[in-house]
Amino acid sequence: MAYNFNEIRLDKGMYSESGKSFEQVLEALDPNDNYRGTPYEGLDAFQRQLKRFDIKVRGAGSDVVEKFFSTSESAVLFPEYVSRSVKAGMEEGNILPSITATTTRFEGMDYRSIYSAPSADEKSLRYVGEGAAIPQTEVRASDHLVKLRKRGRMLVASYEAIRFQRLDLFSVMLRQIGTQIMRMHLEDAIDVIKNGDGNDNAAESLAVGGSTIGGTAGSLSYSELLNFWNAFDPYTMNTMLVAPDVMMKILKCSEFKNPMAGLNFQGTGEPGNPLGAKLIRCSAMTAGTAIGLDKGYALEMVTAGDVSVEYDRLIDRQLERAAITSISGFAKLYTDASKVLSV
C-alpha cells in the first residue's frame, strides 16, 4: 500500500505560511484521518515524516543529530524537532495551568482584555420583585493594554560540536531551554498577580501581624492561614503559590502533620492541605511571601503562537546563534480573586 507521506515535498517555506505552524501545514498535506486502521494510526504528520527518513529521536538507539541532515528534505524537519523538544521542557513541571483561569491566543504584542468590577451591592443576592429592575453586572474593556513579552534563549553550539551527539541526549539540552523559558513566563505571571497589569488592579497585600491576619510577623500558624483563607469571600482560595521558606513553615503546622496527609505526600509528592487549597512551592516567589488565589477567576494567560525558532539558521546548520523564543502575557480578571500574604 502506498502512503501519501512518502510523496510530500518538504521545503523551508512550510515554516513561513501566514497564520499556520509547520505542523498545521504538514497536517493539511497529510491528514491523520487517512491512516485509520493502518500501522501509522496514532502518529501525527511530523512523526510519519520521521518514519519516512528513518530518524529515531528517542531511546538508547536514537540517531545522531547529523541524521536530520542526510538529505535537504529531512533537514527541514530539524526546526520542528527542536521546537517540540523545547515545548516538552516547558510542559514539564509547568504550574501556569494551576494559576490561570483561561488561555487566549492573540496575534500581536499589545492586548486589551475585559474585566468586571462589581460593587458590594452588585455582589449581593437580592430578591427581584415583579416589575423591578434586575441587578446588572457590567463588563468593561481594560483601560490599558496588556503587553506581551518575548522570552527566549539563544542556542549557541557549532554544528561540528553536536553533529555526532545522540538525539536523545540533545533533547535533554533542549528541554532545559524550555524549562528556563517557562520560568520566565511564570515570573511574569507572579508580577502581574502582585502588581497588576497596568489597569490599577494590584492584588491586596496582607501581612502576618496585621489586623486582618493576626499573629506575629515572622511566624505562621494555622490560625493565620485560616484568616487569609477567610479574606477571599465571595471567592474561594483554592490555590496557594508559596516561597520555599513559607512552604516549610506551612508544613510544620501541626494541622498538616496528620497521618493521612503524610501518606498522601509520600505516595504522590503532593502535600495535603486542611484548607482545601492546592499548595505549590515556587522558587520564583520572593522569600517570605505567598499568593492565594481563586484559580478560576484570577488570571488570564495570553499567548502569541507556539515556540518560535529561527528555522533558516537551523536548516542551514548555522546553530551558533539560533534564537528560540515564546511570547506570552498576563491579564488580571477579578482583582479580589488573588491576594498576597507576607509572613
Side-chain angles (χ1 to χ4, degrees):
M1 178 180 178
Y3 294 105
N4 183 51
F5 69 84
N6 287 313
E7 310 301 326
I8 294 174
R9 177 172 176 76
L10 302 175
D11 63 78
K12 65 174 64 178
M14 298 171 73
Y15 286 96
S16 57
E17 288 201 21
S18 178
K20 289 185 177 182
S21 65
F22 176 82
E23 181 179 0
Q24 291 170 330
V25 172
L26 199 56
E27 163 67 16
L29 296 172
D30 185 35
N32 293 333
D33 291 342
N34 294 345
Y35 296 89
R36 290 179 181 173
T38 74
Y40 297 99
E41 185 176 13
L43 300 180
D44 61 30
F46 174 72
Q47 292 168 329
R48 288 191 291 273
Q49 290 301 315
L50 293 180
K51 287 284 187 182
R52 171 187 177 185
F53 293 101
D54 192 29
I55 300 174
K56 301 180 182 66
V57 298
R58 294 187 183 90
S62 63
D63 288 310
V64 296
V65 172
E66 190 177 41
K67 187 67 175 289
F68 271 106
F69 300 95
S70 56
T71 71
S72 59
E73 285 193 89
S74 61
V76 175
L77 300 173
F78 188 62
E80 177 67 10
Y81 155 76
V82 171
S83 176
R84 289 190 176 210
S85 298
V86 171
K87 283 189 284 187
M90 293 176 69
E91 291 166 3
E92 290 177 359
N94 179 18
I95 66 175
L96 286 177
S98 297
I99 63 174
T100 52
T102 183
T103 300
T104 301
R105 285 187 171 273
F106 174 76
E107 296 298 329
M109 291 298 292
D110 295 301
Y111 172 78
R112 191 183 299 277
S113 186
I114 58 174
Y115 73 100
S116 174
S119 65
D121 180 61
E122 291 171 331
K123 292 178 184 177
S124 63
L125 300 177
R126 293 190 300 164
Y127 171 74
V128 180
E130 184 176 351
I134 298 176
Q136 63 184 25
T137 296
E138 185 177 356
V139 177
R140 310 179 183 94
S142 299
D143 295 329
H144 299 282
L145 295 173
V146 174
K147 292 185 178 180
L148 277 64
R149 297 177 178 177
K150 179 185 287 189
R151 299 301 191 190
R153 308 288 293 185
M154 193 72 73
L155 178 61
V156 181
S158 67
Y159 176 68
E160 289 72 21
I162 66 170
R163 61 184 296 190
F164 297 121
Q165 294 298 322
R166 296 287 174 183
L167 290 167
D168 203 32
L169 174 61
F170 190 52
S171 295
V172 175
M173 308 294 111
L174 296 173
R175 291 203 308 271
Q176 178 61 19
I177 290 176
T179 300
Q180 293 166 339
I181 293 174
M182 184 51 67
R183 181 184 170 88
M184 295 178 193
H185 288 319
L186 176 59
E187 290 173 348
D188 290 339
I190 291 172
D191 179 66
V192 168
I193 291 174
K194 293 170 67 174
N195 303 312
D197 58 17
N199 288 286
D200 193 25
N201 52 5
E204 180 183 3
S205 184
L206 303 170
V208 174
S211 58
T212 301
I213 303 300
T216 303
S219 64
L220 186 63
S221 70
Y222 188 57
S223 177
E224 286 90 72
L225 288 173
L226 282 176
N227 289 335
F228 186 53
W229 172 84
N230 193 51
F232 277 78
D233 184 65
Y235 298 101
T236 299
M237 187 188 74
N238 50 37
T239 305
M240 284 191 73
L241 200 60
V242 300
D245 63 324
V246 177
M247 175 66 95
M248 292 302 296
K249 291 180 179 180
I250 291 175
L251 294 180
K252 288 178 180 179
C253 293
S254 59
E255 288 79 5
F256 287 77
K257 296 179 181 178
N258 68 78
M260 290 305 297
L263 287 173
N264 182 64
F265 181 71
Q266 293 169 19
T268 66
E270 292 288 338
N273 190 344
L275 299 175
K278 182 176 182 180
L279 275 175
I280 303 174
R281 181 183 60 182
C282 178
S283 59
M285 289 284 294
T286 304
T289 61
I291 290 175
L293 51 90
D294 189 328
K295 185 258 184 187
Y297 296 96
L299 194 67
E300 173 189 14
M301 181 177 181
V302 186
T303 65
D306 290 322
V307 173
S308 175
V309 299
E310 291 187 309
Y311 61 88
D312 273 325
R313 285 180 173 271
L314 295 179
I315 292 172
D316 295 338
R317 290 177 275 192
Q318 298 174 5
L319 280 69
E320 288 83 358
R321 302 290 293 176
I324 301 172
T325 58
S326 174
I327 300 174
S328 290
F330 299 89
K332 291 285 287 289
L333 295 177
Y334 291 87
T335 303
D336 293 339
S338 59
K339 300 180 189 298
V340 179
L341 177 66
S342 298
V343 178

